[in-house]
Amino acid sequence: RQRQMCITDRSETNKNSELRLQSLIFKNGRYKAIISGKLYKAGEAVGEFNIAKITAKKVYLSRGSEQRILELYSYEIKR
């Protein structure tokens, strides 16, 4: 049986960003990301950036020596 997990960002904090991480999907042992309405996997290009790595809560983008991190949850949970 395959395990599939989908985590969706319902926060409004990234609204003004050019690239918006909306959801992460874990299937067959790998993560995929929905960025600005499109599905991507590690190694694919998003605009001028390349997806270097996808984790449970972050997507690491690179463009030459420039790096950018898209976070699924950009807020702090307090108890």
Side-chain angles (χ1 to χ4, degrees), residues 42-57:
E44 292 186 324
V46 181
E48 297 178 11
F49 289 89
N50 185 51
I51 299 176
K53 181 171 137 181
I54 302 174
T55 66
K57 291 187 179 180

Side-chain angles (χ1 to χ4, degrees), residues 32-49:
K32 292 184 179 182
I34 297 177
I35 302 170
S36 301
K38 295 183 181 179
L39 183 66
Y40 296 95
K41 61 184 177 183
E44 292 186 324
V46 181
E48 297 178 11
F49 289 89

